[in-house]
Amino acid sequence: MRDNAPALEFRDVSMRYDEGRAVMHQVNFTLERGTFTYIRGRSGAGKSTLLKLAYHGLEPTAGHILVFGEDLRRLPRARLPQFRRNIGVVYQDFRLLGHLTALQNVAMPLHVAGVKSTQLRADVKELLDWVGLSDKASQLPVTLSGGEKQRLAIARAVITKPKLLLADEPTGNVDDKMAMKLMYLFEELHKMGTTILMVTHNDGLVERFPHPQLMLEDGYVHAV
Amino acid sequence: MSTLFKRRDADDIFRNTPIFLDEEHLLARFVPWITGVLIFVVLLVLFGMMLSYRLVTTWHSTMEYTWTVQIDGTLTPDKNDAVLKMLRETGGITSVNPLDKDTSLALLKPWLGGDLSKDLPIPMLIDIRLDKTQPLDPETLSKRLSAIDPHVTLDTHEQWLGDVSALMKNFRVLMIALGLLLILGLVLAITLVTRMNFALNQTIIATLHMTGATDRFIAEEFERSTLWLTVKGTSIGLILLISVKVSLYFFGRHEPMLAGLVTPIFPFFETVCVIALSGALIGLSVWASRQTALRRLAKIVT
Ligand SMILES: Nc1ncnc2c1ncn2[C@@H]1O[C@H](COP(=O)(O)OP(=O)(O)OP(=O)(O)O)[C@@H](O)[C@H]1O
Ligand SMILES: [Mg+2]
């Protein structure tokens, strides 16, 4: 991780899934540190794919992806865990662990990093409070509504205070009031220096919280 | 391994929560029993080997100081008396005990079948006990006996004990081979279960990876589940073994040939060996599951 390298860089990145047409054609863009950027585009445009490439959940067909100056192609497997601890991801499909409680789900990123859970209990409680789930701490994800699951996924993504937050439609399943509340949380993280890349379809939010936008269209990316 | 037994205090968020699911497939419910039976048989093999050692040493020590003189049934009574007289006068022999016809018959019965005709020439057997401090040369005694009559022979049981020893040695080699085979089976069973659990928990593993879990952390979860599984299995194995030993004790304590072998029920050395073997089997299983998990994890590229 280089000190003043951009948070995220795509250099001539092309992506094609094993079967099917290309999703990205030689995409280039740079996200400087501390920026807040939206990704927009139609359904199926490749927004989730772009995030997946950024957290190294996928290898691009061609090109290079650099996260804080680190070329993901050259990142040895042994250093992946450390790399991922600097990145928070809110998945479009949440990916909560169904047999663990809300509290345990949120605590997991710190638990796997070896933080004693007696120490992190206060942090987890506070964060659950923030997303309005403190009264659901001991419930399993199946017993939560779509919006509640989403808030849980957000809490898990930010508990490690990541340097880069990748959020895939984090306000897609909540009402406007909750969406606003979550946006304030993101704005606060942004003010603390977190680089944020957020997929959204919500024009109202973009208007209310204006930030640069990247548009994904026909496999190409352009700034709006 | 270091954090395998980590202390989990009451306030621990993850206390008593396995991160992986292993209750869902049918195999998981049978595995403690399969490993239990495997471990039981391995322990039984060990027990059998220790028993064979004790059997040989017990027989050795009881037969080392007793010889048997055999007199052909057709000998005249005064030659019989001459043999007895000679034995009684020989130094180094503490007691001379001719077995009467009925005792000899009873001893021969298992070899010759049930209905022994009374007029069959039954050899007369004389049990002689030797003084340990005054060793007697079997060759000399044998010669002196055949001088009275060539039909009088001396049996020092050497031959028989030699045969038994050789038999027991083969038995032990067989047992070791069987034991190793069973241990291999145990390792294979553990590997199979770990692989199945790995496949079953693929999504959870992916999510853990994405949240920054190391392979070691994930492998440890598998180790923990294997530890629990084999501890259950070993308990089953030990309970089965103890039942076998207790029933052998009740069955054999009144049999003169077996009494020395079944008492005490839990000889110190044997107990230590069984406990050590149980520990080793648990350790081996945990190691096998760790290796399996790590090998699988290494195949995941991202
Ligand atoms: N694992 C995959 N294998 C094959 N094709 C895939 C895979 N994942 C996505 N695709 C295809 O890649 C394209 C982009 O998918 P992606 O999920 O990135 O779209 P998106 O912009 O996130 O859409 P949405 O707004 O609906 O979430 C789609 O055409 C999709 O069918
Ligand atoms: Mg998507």
Side-chain angles (χ1 to χ4, degrees):
Chain A
M1 193 174 297
R2 277 188 276 126
D3 279 347
N4 45 11
L8 180 64
E9 260 183 281
F10 270 49
R11 291 183 185 166
D12 295 324
V13 172
S14 296
M15 182 65 211
R16 176 196 293 276
Y17 284 102
D18 287 342
E19 66 284 351
R21 63 191 171 81
V23 185
M24 265 174 224
H25 306 283
Q26 301 194 316
V27 165
N28 283 284
F29 69 87
T30 302
L31 298 185
E32 292 302 336
R33 285 183 185 224
T35 53
F36 191 139
T37 313
Y38 293 116
I39 300 184
R40 325 256 349 236
R42 279 183 298 104
S43 177
K47 305 181 293 296
S48 298
T49 303
L50 190 147
L51 293 191
K52 218 184 258 183
L53 288 167
Y55 63 76
H56 204 32
L58 266 184
E59 285 246 304
T61 316
H64 292 267
I65 296 164
L66 288 82
V67 178
F68 297 111
E70 188 111 57
D71 190 342
L72 297 189
R73 279 195 192 281
R74 300 210 187 97
L75 188 68
R77 199 173 174 282
R79 275 182 47 214
L80 269 175
Q82 199 50 52
F83 162 79
R84 292 220 167 96
R85 285 171 199 172
N86 286 316
I87 299 178
V89 185
V90 182
Y91 302 93
Q92 194 168 13
D93 53 359
F94 316 135
R95 304 215 194 154
L96 298 167
L97 301 179
H99 59 301
L100 299 183
T101 63
L103 187 77
Q104 289 170 331
N105 265 285
V106 174
M108 188 54 83
L110 291 176
H111 179 57
V112 301
V115 179
K116 282 258 175 344
S117 67
T118 40
Q119 292 167 14
L120 57 85
R121 192 176 270 271
D123 287 357
V124 177
K125 282 263 165 69
E126 193 189 311
L127 204 53
L128 279 176
D129 211 25
W130 227 105
V131 294
L133 289 175
S134 45
D135 56 329
K136 316 248 163 159
S138 56
Q139 282 182 220
L140 295 178
V142 269
T143 67
L144 302 177
S145 75
E148 286 166 340
K149 279 186 226 171
Q150 188 145 45
R151 277 135 65 194
L152 196 58
I154 293 170
R156 183 182 64 185
V158 302
I159 189 140
T160 52
K161 301 190 179 74
K163 293 197 182 69
L164 173 63
L165 180 67
L166 306 168
D168 205 341
E169 286 196 60
T171 59
N173 289 277
V174 295
D175 60 33
D176 283 349
K177 210 172 139 224
M178 183 48 75
M180 294 282 282
K181 218 181 147 196
L182 292 174
M183 278 310 287
Y184 282 121
L185 172 64
F186 288 135
E187 288 292 343
E188 198 149 304
L189 289 165
H190 178 220
K191 273 188 209 124
M192 281 161 52
T194 310
T195 309
I196 299 177
L197 185 58
M198 179 173 144
V199 174
T200 186
H201 286 296
N202 190 329
D203 294 330
L205 275 190
V206 177
E207 254 168 57
R208 202 133 177 193
F209 302 90
H211 290 292
Q213 299 176 38
L214 288 175
M215 191 70 181
L216 251 175
E217 218 163 13
D218 304 322
Y220 297 95
V221 168
H222 51 88
V224 179
Chain B
M1 280 295 248
S2 55
T3 49
L4 196 57
F5 303 102
K6 66 183 156 202
R7 234 184 93 251
R8 299 209 152 166
D9 41 277
D11 203 34
D12 194 317
I13 293 176
F14 290 92
R15 197 162 156 261
N16 298 333
T17 315
I19 288 174
F20 292 125
L21 305 164
D22 54 8
E23 306 296 308
E24 292 189 354
H25 57 94
L26 202 61
L27 187 68
R29 257 178 289 155
F30 286 112
V31 160
W33 292 96
I34 297 168
T35 50
V37 169
L38 273 173
I39 285 169
F40 164 65
V41 183
V42 174
L43 294 177
L44 199 64
V45 162
L46 178 77
F47 169 61
M49 282 178 55
M50 317 238 18
L51 199 68
S52 85
Y53 267 113
R54 273 211 276 160
L55 200 66
V56 172
T57 43
T58 308
W59 286 346
H60 253 295
S61 59
T62 54
M63 293 195 175
E64 210 163 5
Y65 302 111
T66 56
W67 290 346
T68 307
V69 175
Q70 253 185 59
I71 302 176
D72 195 312
T74 55
L75 236 59
T76 58
D78 44 311
K79 273 202 176 169
N80 281 354
D81 292 343
V83 170
L84 284 173
K85 188 165 178 284
M86 187 275 275
L87 288 172
R88 286 193 176 114
E89 282 165 2
T90 305
I93 294 177
T94 54
S95 86
V96 178
N97 181 27
L99 302 178
D100 58 47
K101 212 164 173 142
D102 288 339
T103 316
S104 304
L105 267 174
L107 280 174
L108 288 170
K109 212 169 169 176
W111 278 273
L112 301 181
D115 195 27
L116 284 174
S117 158
K118 285 281 175 195
D119 40 52
L120 191 83
I122 301 300
M124 179 183 168
L125 301 175
I126 306 166
D127 235 3
I128 55 173
R129 269 168 211 284
L130 307 167
D131 185 354
K132 300 175 198 185
T133 57
Q134 231 180 307
L136 200 61
D137 179 31
E139 290 277 322
T140 326
L141 186 63
S142 186
K143 272 189 196 127
R144 286 173 63 198
L145 286 168
S146 40
I148 298 173
D149 190 291
H151 289 109
V152 183
T153 51
L154 178 70
D155 182 3
T156 58
H157 312 301
E158 284 294 296
Q159 177 76 37
W160 186 80
L161 277 176
D163 285 352
V164 167
S165 287
L167 191 75
M168 287 301 171
K169 210 168 166 185
N170 288 339
F171 170 74
R172 283 196 290 269
V173 169
L174 202 74
M175 287 284 118
I176 288 172
L178 181 65
L180 290 177
L181 211 67
L182 287 166
I183 290 170
L184 189 72
L186 178 68
V187 169
L188 284 178
I190 294 295
T191 304
L192 184 73
V193 172
T194 307
R195 276 172 169 236
M196 281 192 83
N197 282 340
F198 200 95
L200 197 78
N201 288 288
Q202 210 110 56
T203 4
I204 297 175
I205 291 168
T207 306
L208 288 178
H209 264 152
M210 290 307 162
T211 50
T214 56
D215 288 352
R216 232 188 89 187
F217 176 92
I218 295 170
E220 244 167 43
E221 286 299 318
F222 284 103
E223 283 178 48
R224 222 187 302 281
S225 106
T226 304
L227 177 70
W228 177 226
L229 196 107
T230 40
V231 164
K232 269 200 270 186
T234 311
S235 312
I236 294 171
L238 284 174
I239 288 168
L240 289 175
L241 184 70
I242 290 168
S243 333
V244 166
K245 296 207 67 177
V246 169
S247 30
L248 271 185
Y249 170 76
F250 281 109
F251 186 67
R253 74 196 145 138
H254 297 309
E255 298 282 325
M257 285 291 265
L258 293 176
L261 300 172
V262 295
T263 48
I265 307 187
F266 303 113
F268 178 73
F269 182 64
E270 195 185 296
T271 307
V272 167
C273 283
V274 166
I275 290 170
L277 184 65
S278 305
L281 291 176
I282 292 173
L284 181 69
S285 304
V286 168
W287 177 83
S289 70
R290 177 193 181 79
Q291 294 308 310
T292 308
L294 286 177
R295 265 200 308 277
R296 296 262 115 179
L297 284 165
K299 284 188 187 149
I300 302 173
V301 191
T302 56

